[in-house]
Amino acid sequence: MRYWLMKSEPDVFSYDDLVAKGRAEWDGVRNHAAQLNMKAMALGDRAIFYHSNIGVECVGIMEIVRTAEQDSTDETGKWIAVEVAPVKKLANPVTLKAIKAEPALAAMEMLRQSRLSVSPVRDAEYTKILEMAGEKD
DNA sequence: GCCAACGTTGGC
DNA sequence: GCCAACGTTGGC
């Protein structure tokens, strides 16, 4: 299983919105690097839900429940999207500040390329973030 | 194909 | 609101 980090502005679509819907298409991604990452996702992969702009923190864990297909909001046919479902809300959100302060997370892609909305997360980084969030698994 | 101008993202 | 990073556009 691979791990990912996906960003959304919570005033547009928050983790609680995803919980309310049950599952959702992660659409509207219009960046090629982010698209490549979504195409590499497999069923059952886990993704950290990150709130950008407001909160600026990791708030929950999601599971990929449908692999890349045509983005239903795209009329050009060029862009794809996956579907996600909530797994759990983090006991304690992990802020960007905390991530930057943790040496074990210094190599994270989301820090290296701060504007990338969908980025890969290494196993050890995922484990560390869950630990910082007060989660056991 | 290069590069300047411009637009967008995202943190602060 | 500002600014850095970076993607896109368009002239040449």
Side-chain angles (χ1 to χ4, degrees):
Chain A
M1 184 199 300
R2 298 174 71 181
Y3 302 106
W4 309 92
L5 182 142
M6 302 169 89
K7 298 181 182 179
S8 177
E9 298 178 30
D11 54 345
V12 177
F13 188 72
S14 70
Y15 188 78
D16 287 342
D17 291 335
L18 177 61
V19 171
K21 290 185 76 173
R23 64 188 277 162
E25 184 180 72
W26 199 270
D27 51 34
V29 175
R30 297 292 181 268
N31 170 283
H32 293 291
Q35 287 271 305
L36 284 174
N37 287 331
M38 285 204 294
K39 285 178 186 172
M41 291 176 179
L43 282 184
D45 279 1
R46 295 290 167 101
I48 297 167
F49 195 123
Y50 175 86
H51 281 174
S52 61
N53 288 314
I54 301 169
V56 193
E57 58 194 5
C58 303
V59 293
I61 302 300
M62 303 184 280
E63 180 176 347
I64 307 305
V65 294
R66 194 206 71 196
T67 53
E69 286 177 25
Q70 166 85 42
D71 180 335
S72 69
T73 67
D74 170 38
E75 294 173 3
T76 70
K78 292 179 183 173
W79 305 99
I80 54 87
V82 297
E83 277 187 21
V84 296
V87 173
K88 66 158 61 170
K89 191 168 185 169
L90 297 178
N92 307 113
V94 179
T95 63
L96 179 63
K97 189 179 173 187
I99 290 170
K100 286 181 171 174
E102 172 53 59
L105 300 178
M108 279 192 78
E109 286 305 306
M110 64 104 56
L111 294 181
R112 213 174 60 78
Q113 263 224 72
S114 65
R115 286 181 50 197
L116 189 56
S117 63
V118 180
S119 60
V121 175
R122 297 173 187 87
D123 290 10
E125 293 165 346
Y126 182 86
T127 304
K128 185 69 188 177
I129 287 173
L130 260 64
E131 178 195 320
M132 291 163 74
E135 302 289 347
K136 298 222 165 121
D137 55 7

